[in-house]
Amino acid sequence: MAVSGSVVGGTETASLLPVYRRPAHLFVAGRGCRLYTEDGTAYLDLTAGIGVNALGYGDATIAAALGEAIDAGIVHTSNLFRTRPGEALADALVGASFADRVFFCNSGAEANEAAIKFARRWAGAQGGAATHEMVALRGAFHGRLFGSLALTDRPGYRAPFEPLMPGAHFVEHDLAAAAAAVSRERTAAIFVEPVQGEGGIHPIPADLLRGLRELADRSDALLVFDEIQCGLGRTGHLFAYQASGVVPDILTLAKPLAGGLPMGAVLTSEPVAAPLQPGDHATTFGGGPLVAGVAHAVFRRVSDPDLLANVRARGAQIQATARRWVEEGRARQARGVGLMWGIELAGPAAPVVERARAAGVLVLTAGEKVLRLLPPLVIEEDELDEGLRVLGEAIA
Ligand SMILES: *Cc1c(COP(=O)(O)O)cnc(C)c1O
């Protein structure tokens, strides 16, 4: 039975599986960095759909790319056939990164599941089936499926679903700890988010990334960077790895990739791709002409040096304000880079999120005590000022 009240606000329909906890607001439109409810109330959005809406709402580039796909009349053909947008996007990703090959899928977790399979395929070809284990960092979030969840360090997300993929190990953000967990005989790959997102916004220091690169090389293991949240301009670099100069063997992308359409990608070096044969992995929807066309348009925009310069400038703006909050005792610590910030509070972050929302500003948490800011990459100085002012009051 339809619950008609649900479509005009009020409480959420009971027809949905209750795995999300959502406020009552019902958003019906978006423009720039703002979302609107039915009665026209505007909210400044510093969540960007959890880092997805890099270009904000109502972006003309995305609308044009959607229009082109609709005009062409093919949303989907399956991977039985060639289509142009996916090939062009793969060329663009290869041209702008370390990678030689690209595999498209439909979400972040799927990208990491594919990366796990590719790493196992590579390691199996090198060292045999025993070489299948994966090492991830404390605080890691790599997704909610059985392989990616095994590499996600959140007991509450894992426990109800165990047993997960075997052979997953977590280590502290410390090279000696990683070296103790990595073995030439058993380890296929080391998974790292160059800037941890869900775990509370922890940028991994460049020297640790360098150390992990050397450790992987020494141990005949692959280094996998999960840039699903921190990639595609979020840090002020097109790819987060470019800031450290540490080059992975595999890199996963998703969240902002297709402007809000579901899409993930796995970028690999040639040696990782070499053992993979037709039939080794596949997906019905992955890299279809509509999502790939939109993603290519988004990719051009997030590659734009002016946009990346805006991310760095706005990041400095957040840093300056957040530092003041720490000095004034309103926050314990501020961590981040570009437009990816975590403000650690003395107490729970959820009530601050609610107060900010009541004052018209949307922010995220990352764990219990961390406020997380992931604004659209196109946010302007005065909009961000406004958001930070409201947030500062909500913290006080
Ligand atoms: C969101 C996220 C994922 C999972 O992506 P989904 O599209 O939700 O499956 C994986 N890794 C990181 C770093 C993420 O932020």
Side-chain angles (χ1 to χ4, degrees):
M1 192 186 79
V3 185
S4 60
S6 66
V7 294
V8 290
T11 50
E12 181 168 302
T13 174
S15 306
L16 284 168
L17 200 71
V19 292
Y20 301 106
R21 191 182 293 120
R22 287 186 270 239
H25 309 61
L26 195 78
F27 290 120
V28 295
R31 278 290 173 279
C33 296
R34 284 176 215 269
L35 277 169
Y36 298 88
T37 53
E38 268 173 320
D39 64 4
T41 310
Y43 290 81
L44 180 63
D45 182 13
L46 306 184
T47 76
I50 320 185
V52 167
N53 302 321
L55 305 182
Y57 298 94
D59 178 74
T61 321
I62 292 178
L66 282 166
E68 266 177 50
I70 301 303
D71 288 346
I74 36 174
V75 168
H76 172 82
T77 57
S78 87
N79 282 306
L80 295 171
F81 306 108
R82 288 181 58 196
T83 48
R84 191 169 283 128
E87 293 190 20
L89 176 61
D91 287 343
L93 289 166
V94 163
S97 73
F98 73 95
D100 300 305
R101 306 278 188 162
V102 181
F103 175 82
F104 293 120
C105 53
N106 313 290
S107 72
E110 268 187 46
N112 285 333
E113 297 288 326
I116 290 167
K117 286 181 72 177
F118 300 164
R120 278 205 182 176
R121 190 80 174 83
W122 176 87
Q126 302 272 115
T131 316
H132 70 270
E133 295 190 0
M134 311 275 158
V135 171
L137 296 189
R138 279 277 163 237
F141 182 91
H142 295 296
R144 306 278 205 146
L145 303 180
F146 278 84
S148 47
L149 187 56
L151 299 175
T152 290
D153 184 27
R154 282 274 195 120
Y157 291 176
R158 302 162 56 94
F161 306 104
E162 284 171 345
L164 307 173
M165 175 184 76
H169 304 281
F170 294 103
V171 297
E172 299 298 332
H173 298 195
D174 171 72
L175 189 57
V182 168
S183 124
R184 169 183 285 278
E185 287 70 39
R186 296 189 315 274
T187 308
I190 305 171
F191 272 70
V192 184
E193 299 161 77
V195 184
Q196 286 188 337
E198 303 296 313
I201 311 293
H202 293 277
I204 306 301
D207 59 349
L208 180 53
L209 294 176
R210 262 192 299 280
L212 293 171
R213 174 72 274 177
E214 285 160 17
L215 175 62
D217 290 341
R218 235 183 12 253
S219 315
D220 264 340
L222 297 176
L223 184 63
V224 182
F225 282 174
D226 175 344
E227 295 206 9
I228 288 165
Q229 191 162 145
C230 65
L232 296 172
R234 179 62 54 191
T235 63
H237 300 267
L238 179 55
F239 297 103
Y241 79 85
Q242 291 168 329
S244 65
V246 177
V247 176
D249 303 295
I250 299 179
L251 183 142
T252 54
L253 296 171
K255 288 192 164 85
L257 181 58
L261 298 178
M263 187 182 211
V266 187
L267 279 57
T268 81
S269 66
E270 188 57 35
V272 173
L276 290 160
Q277 303 296 320
D280 275 350
H281 194 52
T283 161
T284 299
F285 292 116
L290 178 118
V291 288
V294 172
H296 200 171
V298 171
F299 189 69
R300 285 194 201 96
R301 291 280 302 281
V302 299
S303 307
D304 177 353
D306 290 342
L307 180 135
L308 294 170
N310 184 60
V311 174
R312 293 191 295 269
R314 300 289 73 77
Q317 199 180 335
I318 296 177
Q319 183 172 37
T321 305
R323 264 208 193 127
R324 216 178 52 236
W325 292 340
V326 173
E327 281 162 16
E328 293 166 358
R330 284 196 254 183
R332 283 207 165 146
Q333 201 186 31
R335 302 180 292 264
V337 56
L339 283 174
M340 188 169 182
W341 280 85
I343 318 286
E344 189 166 325
L345 308 176
V352 177
V353 170
E354 275 174 44
R355 282 200 294 277
R357 191 171 61 233
V361 174
L362 307 176
V363 287
L364 291 151
T365 60
E368 202 205 328
K369 293 182 175 173
V370 178
L371 283 175
R372 178 169 39 150
L373 275 57
L374 294 174
L377 306 186
V378 294
I379 195 166
E380 291 173 8
E381 185 174 0
D382 52 348
E383 287 173 314
L384 185 56
D385 256 342
E386 174 194 338
L388 292 172
R389 186 168 33 74
V390 169
L391 197 56
E393 285 162 13
I395 294 173

